[in-house]
Amino acid sequence: MNFLKKYQEEFDKLDKMEKDFIDDDLIWSILNKHKSPTKEEVRAVLKKAETCTRLSPDEMAILIQNKDKDCIEEMYSLAHKLKEEVYGDRIVFFAPLYISDECANNCKYCGFRSSNHSIKRKTLTMEEISEEVKIMIEEGQKRTILVYGESPNTQVDFMVKTVEQVYKTKTEHGEIRRANINCAPLRVDELKKLKEVGIGTYQVFQETYHHETYKDVHPQGTIKGHYRWRLYSMDRAQEAGVDDNGLGVLFGLYDWRFEVLALLFHTIHLEQKFNGVGPHTISFPRITPALDTPYSSNPKYAVSDEDFKKLIAILRLSIPYTGLICTAREPDKVRKEVLPLGVSQIDAGTRIGVGAYAQSLKANTIPDKEQFTIEDGRSLDDVVKEICEMNAIPSFCTACYRAGRTGEQFMKVAKSKFVYNYCIPNAIFTLKEYALDYASNSSLPIINETINNHLNSLANKPSYPKVLEIVKRIENGERDVRL
Ligand code: SAM
Ligand code: SF4
């Protein structure tokens, strides 16, 4: 079958729907209604946010439109407080693994787009995947996200094999314990195959929720050109039993204020349809320059650092139970500044070229196999050290997903803030493994101090003796012990 027509039947069904759940005019009318909120209005919303409940579109719009400096500061400190309440002071680490840069789509902002002849097309073989994974494991990674273009050569059966290959690759220090996926939208039967092979989070970024802009940057005649096919990808995922889903917007394509409100509408749609299960994570990449991709060097709606901080805090306050991911596209300085505003996951030791982990033993970047540029190219060890210096705790935990705490189960735990009981101990265990197996002389002292401080913070908890016992077992050589 013609690859570009493979979803035609589904497209036709979606085209027949009168409307979808993103109403551009409604979003703008809500934003305009709250153009200049008073301090009292903003503080009333912050009071509601303090109760850790999801905000309404009107409430979120009030935060988005607030320009009062005092209220912005209050918003930042509340975002920090909520993050600590729901997630504790841990930061979860992962690293991407690019499987292929082959792509039949032609997204204007992306280095991998089909019309970009400066990119060398490459799909990793199973042996090459193992080679990449071994290097990642030896650097200390436990979680990865596999990234693919959309191509006849990388369809779902191939993806299934790549996930299996990642999980079966082992070194003396263990294995990757959780493989998430960032790929094109799929059909329900395709998603079921990914579910079976044990993927973690399934990420699809809408890129922009604004219909007209979407059309402009994703040429018609490509699969990605179909807005609704992408918009309903998480509905299909839920239907297939893939209940751990990641939303995202590529910031710079359209007005950030519209996009964050649209993310809330997407969340509400999922919650209403799937028993309260909203997105497990939200990502908010800003466009960075890609090789021979003029659109990416000069995005029309580039988001300033100030607005970037605001939008992260607003997402944290509006959808408090959702993980927020800040990637290495951002420079270290920006990442450091936004972490306290509610970010719960970061990548580190990141290489984004296809085959880049093996290649990086020789050179730092491989521009003709990279989708865009990253700004934070520091080693995992450097970033782990910095997080400890910020008095937070790096976590390599993969327990929830392996214990079946995903979708509705996870939401129950997250919404009741019970996460804290599992997460801090599991962060301590996985950081202890990192200390014993990977830490450099330079990072080890602060890592040990972080572990001790967090152990002390549990001293009055009923779980304390059990936590101490597990730490001892890890010191004695056991690995992958979790609550
Ligand atoms: N091909 C799949 C798709 O488009 O859904 C997989 C995703 S792509 C390899 C990963 C994400 O990178 C995209 O969803 C997009 O948000 C982001 N991206 C693309 N070009 C970018 C750029 N120039 N700067 C930053 N992020 C970019
Ligand atoms: Fe292909 Fe994804 Fe890049 Fe679009 S964003 S060109 S679909 S890899």
Side-chain angles (χ1 to χ4, degrees), residues 422-433:
Y422 296 107
C423 299
I424 295 297
N426 285 331
I428 293 173
F429 305 151
T430 53
L431 188 59
K432 185 75 195 177
E433 289 181 342

Side-chain angles (χ1 to χ4, degrees), residues 107-113 116 217 250-253 286-302 370-373 375:
C107 314
K108 281 188 185 168
Y109 46 80
C110 177
F112 291 172
R113 70 191 188 291
N116 189 359
V217 295
L250 182 58
F251 282 97
L253 298 176
R286 288 191 286 185
I287 296 182
T288 64
L291 183 71
D292 279 340
T293 305
Y295 195 98
S296 66
S297 319
N298 196 13
K300 215 162 161 184
Y301 288 92
E370 289 177 2
Q371 187 189 12
F372 47 81
T373 37
E375 299 280 342

